[in-house]
Amino acid sequence: MSKEKERRMFVGVVWNCAAELKLLLTVLLFLCSLITLLHYIPSRLISFSPIDLGSCISTPAAPLHFVSHLNATNSSTPSATTPPPTSAATPPPEPPSLEKDRLLQNGVVKRAFNPFGSAAYNFILMSAYRGGYNTFAVMGLGSKPLHVYGKPSYRCEWVSSHKQKNPISVVGHKILPDWGYGRVYTVLVINCTFPVPVGNGETGGKLLVHATTNGGGDTNFNTTDTFEALSETGQDFVNFTSVYEAPPKYDFFYCGSSLYGNLSPQRVREWLAFHVRLFGEKSHFVIHDAGGVHKGVMEVLKPWMDKGYVTLQDIRDQERFDGYYHNQFLIVNDCLQRYKFQAKWMFFFDVDEYIFVPKKSTIKSVVKSLSDFTQFTIEQMPMSNKLCLEEDRGKSYRASEMA
């Protein structure tokens, strides 16, 4: 009796679904006939192939839509979710149309010039520092042709985080410290001095610089690039105040030039040991790696870094921008503005140069005699195996003779 009921139930289900099955078989028969017919139509008359149509039928998306349709006839069965249609890939933009030569009414042929790309960046920001309560220094690189042949200008704007305070804007004064040695790029320092103090320990703010080309590069355009040079919180202002008003931490501070090439670890070891002893315990050295600090040099610097005498900065990314001597003037100006409130005296010279003080003098006595000046230069004396003091003749010994 139970088998008879099961047979009748099966027949009943098939009978109820007969309409859907007929529809499915009809659709499949139509598609198969269409695919067969497309094989005999020339390919130039259709934009897709029978293989493409066959692949559409074989994708999982078709059964999913069909199941969703069948489930919709039975409210007791949850319906399957149809996936959203995928958007087509955005085609690449069309290249700009070219301006062509044209004949004017007076018979003159007007030639066309079509620019593409950009030869150099307007400004490349490295850093910006406070120089006081109302002044800032912004260090970067600018396009050398723009500054040699154009008249770019800069405007500084301080925007307070306090919504009720209006922004303050002043003219930025540019300084070109590399004296025309630049190549594609030249070093640029922008001084931003406001008529009143800006920022405080409660609310922060940001320094914006508006760099205008004034027609440099392309006289048809006068573009202005605005960038955020410095962002300051209230705590940043407090930290600056503590350094600005406190006595200098160091007596002597060394800002090194860009180090590159295959440096000798032994020479670096000799140079560093000599000047640490010369400047004393209250001294610090900032070394800038432009590709010259390889494994051997790093082994020399690491003990001095651990003792707190040396800070090593990786500046290799500046090699992307073609400037004079690995952008040396940019690096030393950054070092000057970054650490100038932490030392009584700052020195700028290379690692192949040694500071020599006269007999019966020390480095402290020399700088004390120059305390009325804010800057002094050091006279250079070439040194080689052919240039030795006559009075030292016979006082030097070879290592074999000392053994």
Side-chain angles (χ1 to χ4, degrees), residues 226-248:
T226 300
F227 58 90
E228 181 180 300
L230 182 143
S231 179
E232 184 180 74
T233 64
Q235 186 58 47
D236 293 333
F237 182 86
V238 172
N239 295 339
F240 165 78
T241 302
S242 62
V243 175
Y244 183 68
E245 297 180 351

Side-chain angles (χ1 to χ4, degrees), residues 182-343:
R183 294 159 62 90
V184 175
Y185 292 100
T186 188
V187 178
L188 180 64
V189 178
I190 303 174
N191 177 268
C192 303
T193 300
F194 296 92
V196 295
V198 293
N200 53 58
E202 298 179 359
T203 59
K206 56 185 178 180
L207 176 67
L208 303 180
V209 175
H210 308 275
T212 303
T213 60
N214 291 325
D218 189 343
T219 55
N220 281 352
F221 297 96
N222 187 23
T223 60
T224 298
D225 296 293
T226 300
F227 58 90
E228 181 180 300
L230 182 143
S231 179
E232 184 180 74
T233 64
Q235 186 58 47
D236 293 333
F237 182 86
V238 172
N239 295 339
F240 165 78
T241 302
S242 62
V243 175
Y244 183 68
E245 297 180 351
K249 181 179 178 180
Y250 304 104
D251 289 337
F252 303 104
F253 201 98
Y254 171 79
C255 288
S257 301
S258 307
L259 295 184
Y260 67 99
N262 187 21
L263 297 179
S264 168
Q266 179 62 24
R267 296 293 178 264
V268 175
R269 180 184 291 109
E270 295 170 355
W271 182 93
L272 195 52
F274 175 87
H275 287 95
V276 169
R277 187 176 186 276
L278 176 70
F279 289 145
E281 294 183 355
K282 295 187 67 175
S283 62
H284 196 77
F285 299 77
V286 175
I287 307 298
H288 296 98
D289 175 22
V293 180
H294 50 78
K295 182 179 179 181
V297 176
M298 187 63 187
E299 291 176 354
V300 172
L301 297 178
K302 192 62 170 68
W304 295 107
M305 295 167 61
D306 296 338
K307 289 180 177 293
Y309 282 98
V310 171
T311 295
L312 179 62
Q313 297 186 5
D314 185 343
I315 59 164
R316 300 189 182 198
D317 278 357
Q318 55 78 31
E319 297 291 340
R320 296 166 49 197
F321 313 107
D322 184 21
Y324 171 74
Y325 197 74
H326 305 267
N327 293 306
Q328 168 183 285
F329 288 96
L330 171 66
I331 302 308
V332 295
N333 273 277
D334 169 81
C335 187
L336 169 65
Q337 301 296 334
R338 186 183 184 95
Y339 298 106
K340 65 182 180 181
F341 298 120
Q342 300 187 30

